[in-house]
């Protein structure tokens, strides 16, 4: 069953959306871990503040009061920050347990702060007693901080485990998607390449997608030649014959967009051998395929034809010689790269080409005859190439 390009791209978009959702979830989990880490940092900072408070020098009462009040304010803020809600608290924590731990922490923190203030405000004779009371509340406070730290570490470990599982799942799913859609996109690329390339092995393109099969079938339907009169067509290749070529040329040259006319005459290098060894049907299929290859490079103002001598003529209307010559050389290369099916099996064929510019003063028939002579020279020099006149008429290259 052929694949659907539309379905492939729809599934690709869905797969990318799934990966995006997974990445967003992983991002939320990382943010959640960061928030739990901030809670842990707040709890640890309370340890430092407690140590700073109990080691406060009270010899300078006014300075001690300023410093201690600053520590107590920071301590109250740290207690509050240690209980800020995180993104995934609803899914990862027990509201009852979290409330219980925070209530205990808040109670012991308040008791310690009150004891610290009493210690600060006590007379020098009563400070020892107030310090002992502050140290007792400190032990309870540190115990509650430790419980809260253990709880936050547990939440961080739990969040990290979920994040690891999510990351591994995303990697596995992403790898599967990559492999699957790499294969699918390669199939689409190969189908496009088969549809756009010259048939080099003589077989019907084997495509994998519905849309490209439709395109290949459409491309395989050779556009009908403007001449519908069978008397103007070559019976074997379906190209214009000499009369059809002249008719079509005269019709097109009146167009204002008609450029300079270059003539390429192509001759099959192995023609005499092939005509003696192949059937008429095989020769007709060979002519038709060569004609199809030439037609691939045909533009609206061009004309393709097959002469009675079985040579091919390509009238090329271009704005530059380089462009016209390039198309003629591409035709020779395309034929060289192609395989031609016959009753005796696939064969290779090459062309020799003669390339010439038609001058306004010369007749088309005379220019074609000159092109035939240049093609003969190319054939004599080894074939499979396009020859053209040098500046002197008796020299070829």
């Amino acid at each position: 069953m052929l694949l659907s390009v539309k379905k492939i791209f729809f599934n690709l978009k869905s797969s990318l959306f799934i990966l995006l959702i997974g990445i967003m979830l992983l991002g939320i989990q990382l943010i959640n871990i960061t928030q739990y880490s901030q809670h842990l940092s707040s709890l640890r900072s309370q340890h430092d503040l407690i140590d700073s408070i109990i080691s406060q020098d009270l010899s300078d009462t006014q300075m001690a009061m300023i410093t201690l009040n600053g520590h107590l304010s920071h301590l109250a803020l740290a207690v509050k920050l240690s209980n800020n809600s995180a993104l995934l608290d609803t899914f990862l924590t027990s509201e009852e347990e979290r409330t219980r731990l925070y209530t205990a922490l808040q109670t012991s923190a308040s008791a310690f702060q009150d004891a610290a203030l009493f210690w600060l405000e006590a007379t020098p004779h009563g400070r020892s007693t107030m310090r002992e009371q502050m140290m007792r509340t400190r032990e309870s406070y540190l115990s509650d901080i430790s419980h809260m730290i253990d709880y936050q570490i547990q939440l961080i470990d739990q969040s990290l485990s979920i994040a690891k599982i999510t990351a591994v799942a995303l990697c596995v799913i992403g790898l599967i998607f990559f492999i699957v859609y790499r294969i699918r996109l390669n199939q689409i690329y190969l189908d496009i390449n088969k549809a756009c390339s010259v048939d080099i092995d003589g077989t019907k393109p084997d495509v994998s997608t519905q849309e490209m099969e439709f395109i290949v079938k459409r491309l395989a339907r050779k556009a009908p030649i403007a001449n519908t009169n069978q008397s103007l067509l070559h019976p074997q290749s379906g190209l214009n014959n000499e009369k059809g070529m002249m008719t079509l040329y005269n019709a097109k040259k009146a167009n204002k967009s008609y450029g300079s006319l270059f003539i390429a005459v192509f001759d099959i290098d192995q023609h005499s051998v092939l005509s003696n060894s192949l059937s008429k049907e095989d020769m007709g299929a060979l002519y038709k395929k060569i004609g199809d290859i030439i037609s691939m490079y045909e533009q609206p103002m061009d004309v393709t034809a097959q002469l009675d001598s079985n040579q091919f003529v390509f009238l090329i209307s271009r704005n530059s010689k380089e462009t016209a010559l390039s198309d003629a050389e591409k035709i020779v290369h395309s034929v060289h790269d192609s395989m031609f099916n016959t009753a005796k099996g696939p064969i290779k064929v090459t062309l020799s080409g003669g390339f010439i510019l038609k001058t306004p003063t010369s007749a088309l028939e005379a220019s074609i005859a000159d092109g035939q002579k240049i093609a003969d020279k190319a054939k004599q020099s080894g074939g499979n190439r396009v020859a053209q006149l040098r500046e002197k008429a008796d020299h070829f290259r």
Side-chain angles (χ1 to χ4, degrees), residues 4 17 26 32 34 41 55 62 65-66 68 84 103 131 139 153 165 179 192 204 217 222 333 348 360 367 385:
S4 168
F17 181 74
L26 181 60
N32 199 67
T34 301
S41 178
S55 61
Q62 187 175 3
M65 184 174 293
I66 294 172
L68 194 61
N84 282 346
T103 301
R131 181 177 176 80
E139 295 302 322
I153 290 175
I165 294 172
I179 294 173
I192 294 173
K204 179 182 178 181
K217 287 180 178 179
K222 188 178 185 305
H333 294 155
K348 298 284 287 185
S367 297
R385 61 188 292 263

Side-chain angles (χ1 to χ4, degrees), residues 49-243:
L49 289 169
I50 291 172
D51 291 338
S52 297
I53 290 171
I54 63 175
S55 61
Q56 181 65 49
D57 184 10
L58 300 183
S59 58
D60 186 346
T61 304
Q62 187 175 3
M63 181 59 68
M65 184 174 293
I66 294 172
T67 303
L68 194 61
N69 283 330
H71 288 332
L72 292 175
S73 298
H74 289 149
L75 191 63
L77 178 61
V79 172
K80 185 177 181 180
L81 291 176
S82 62
N83 191 51
N84 282 346
S85 297
L87 287 174
L88 300 180
D89 274 348
T90 305
F91 305 97
L92 298 178
T93 65
S94 168
E95 184 65 26
E96 182 180 351
E97 182 179 9
R98 187 166 70 92
T99 301
R100 179 180 60 80
L101 290 172
Y102 178 68
T103 301
L105 179 67
Q106 197 174 33
T107 301
S108 58
S110 296
F112 175 77
Q113 292 172 38
D114 291 339
L117 286 173
F118 289 146
W119 173 57
L120 175 64
E121 295 170 357
T123 62
H125 296 290
R127 282 178 182 169
S128 178
T129 303
M130 291 296 100
R131 181 177 176 80
E132 290 177 2
Q133 183 178 350
M134 180 181 66
M135 296 303 289
R136 284 194 298 270
T137 59
R138 169 181 173 271
E139 295 302 322
S140 176
Y141 186 20
L142 289 175
S143 177
D144 290 333
I145 289 175
S146 296
H147 293 155
M148 198 70 169
I149 287 175
D150 291 339
Y151 179 68
Q152 293 298 329
I153 290 175
Q154 178 185 348
L155 291 178
I156 290 174
D157 290 339
Q158 185 179 356
S159 299
L160 284 173
S161 298
I162 295 174
K164 288 177 182 177
I165 294 172
T166 304
V168 171
L170 284 174
C171 289
V172 173
I173 294 173
L175 181 61
I176 292 173
F177 285 166
F178 172 79
I179 294 173
V180 170
Y181 288 104
R182 184 176 186 274
I183 295 172
R184 292 287 186 264
L185 294 176
N186 278 343
Q187 288 175 321
I188 294 174
Y189 171 77
L190 290 174
D191 285 356
I192 294 173
N193 192 46
K194 289 174 183 176
C196 296
S197 63
V198 177
D199 179 12
I200 62 173
D201 57 5
T203 61
K204 179 182 178 181
D206 183 20
V207 296
S208 306
T209 55
Q210 299 172 5
E211 290 84 351
M212 291 310 301
E213 182 188 45
F214 174 78
I215 292 173
V216 168
K217 287 180 178 179
R218 289 290 299 270
L219 291 174
R221 298 175 189 167
K222 188 178 185 305
I225 299 176
N227 296 320
T228 56
N229 189 341
Q230 293 299 313
S231 65
L232 301 179
L233 302 179
H234 193 280
Q236 291 180 297
S237 66
L239 298 178
N240 296 288
N241 56 23
E242 294 184 41
K243 183 179 179 181

Side-chain angles (χ1 to χ4, degrees), residues 306-334:
Q306 185 176 3
L307 306 180
D308 293 338
S309 60
N310 291 318
Q311 292 176 317
F312 296 87
V313 176
F314 188 18
L315 305 183
I316 313 172
S317 174
R318 298 290 186 275
N319 292 325
S320 70
K321 175 184 176 182
E322 290 73 18
T323 305
L325 180 60
S326 175
D327 285 349
E329 290 176 338
K330 287 177 181 177
I331 290 170
V332 171
H333 294 155
S334 296

